[in-house]
Amino acid sequence: MLQVCLNGSRGAGDGTAVPLTPSAVAESAAAAVAAGATDVHVHPKSPCGRDSLSPGVLTPVLTALRERVRVPVGVTTGAWAEPDPAARVARVRAWTVLPDHASVNWHEPGAEDVAAALLERGVGVEAGIWSGTDGAARFAASPLGPRVLRVLAEVTDPVPDSAVTTARALLAELGPAHGRPVLLHGEDGSAWPVLRLAGRLGLATRIGLEDTLADGERACSNADLVTEALRLLANSRMTQAE
């Protein structure tokens, strides 16, 4: 599985390749899926470019995406989009068009309440477990753990030389992860080293403009990043076979 993370918390200042409007998001997703992505993760944006969980923002994004792609589509529920945990739950309960899944960062206040609200609505939960947080310990103790769709093991270490060590430590912290599938990924400087590690370990992973704006020194679109990721993953599988 290769998920494309279309935009993240990035904004207009990060370049024109980052899709922000519903139409741009849908166009970028379609190109990324055509390049080989099998799942989509998006941060719906308000007109001012801020991440939002509002039904009025979510609905046009999901509608536009589903007109262009036929793969599962997920959204964020990050606390930066709605800091108050009770308000975050209320937003989820007010959604009129539902994503296939939504990520919940387990170290954030109110994470289990948000996850429970999503599960009640039939939305799959991606449990975001960030390195450098207590997310793994909290997830291990969570009664909701066996019910999540998958675990997003998120390496927040941006240093390429230490990212793989940080990733392996995070996976060790996760342990059996309630038997749920694990998607391993990095961000910024760790995006490509961690993707290659995921390939070697046979884990799902992701790439996209949320995690990195370039392949080396070359600015890329989401489709370009997916193409390069699939090339690297194929090389990882070949190395394993040898």
Side-chain angles (χ1 to χ4, degrees):
M1 173 193 167
L2 180 63
Q3 183 180 81
V4 61
C5 47
L6 295 171
N7 52 12
S9 296
R10 301 191 192 274
D14 293 301
T16 57
V18 179
L20 303 176
T21 66
S23 59
V25 162
E27 182 177 354
S28 185
V33 170
T38 57
D39 192 279
V40 171
H41 172 76
V42 65
H43 289 210
K45 307 283 185 181
S46 68
C48 65
R50 181 177 178 273
D51 286 6
S52 175
L53 308 183
S54 165
V57 173
L58 204 75
T59 294
V61 171
L62 291 176
T63 300
L65 280 166
R66 287 183 171 138
E67 287 176 352
R68 298 294 303 274
V69 300
R70 295 293 181 268
V71 300
V73 173
V75 300
T76 184
T77 64
W80 58 86
E82 180 52 75
D84 180 66
R88 220 175 313 143
V89 170
R91 288 293 199 191
V92 168
R93 290 179 173 155
W95 288 349
T96 53
V97 175
L98 298 177
D100 297 289
H101 52 76
S103 60
V104 179
N105 299 317
W106 228 258
H107 65 280
E108 293 177 346
E112 294 213 17
D113 291 337
V114 174
L118 289 164
L119 291 168
E120 287 168 8
R121 302 216 62 193
V123 177
V125 171
E126 295 181 309
I129 312 298
W130 292 20
S131 63
T133 73
D134 65 351
R138 292 177 60 182
F139 182 70
S142 174
L144 298 180
R147 298 177 59 194
V148 305
L149 176 66
R150 61 180 153 257
V151 173
L152 300 183
E154 306 198 19
V155 178
T156 59
D157 178 356
V159 181
D161 290 343
S162 58
V164 168
T165 299
T166 302
R168 289 188 182 278
L170 176 58
L171 292 173
E173 280 186 79
L174 277 169
H178 294 287
R180 305 315 301 143
V182 173
L183 185 158
L184 176 66
H185 75 97
E187 58 186 37
D188 296 319
S190 69
W192 295 109
V194 173
L195 181 137
R196 288 191 290 268
L197 176 64
R200 293 194 297 273
L201 296 177
L203 297 175
T205 189
R206 79 178 200 184
I207 201 68
L209 293 169
E210 173 173 354
D211 289 344
T212 180
L213 292 171
D215 165 21
E217 298 300 319
R218 184 173 66 97
C220 294
S221 67
N222 279 305
D224 291 332
L225 293 172
V226 167
T227 298
E228 176 63 9
L230 288 171
R231 185 187 71 80
L232 292 174
L233 291 170
N235 288 344
S236 296
R237 287 193 294 271
M238 289 174 63
T239 302
Q240 272 188 313
E242 293 170 359

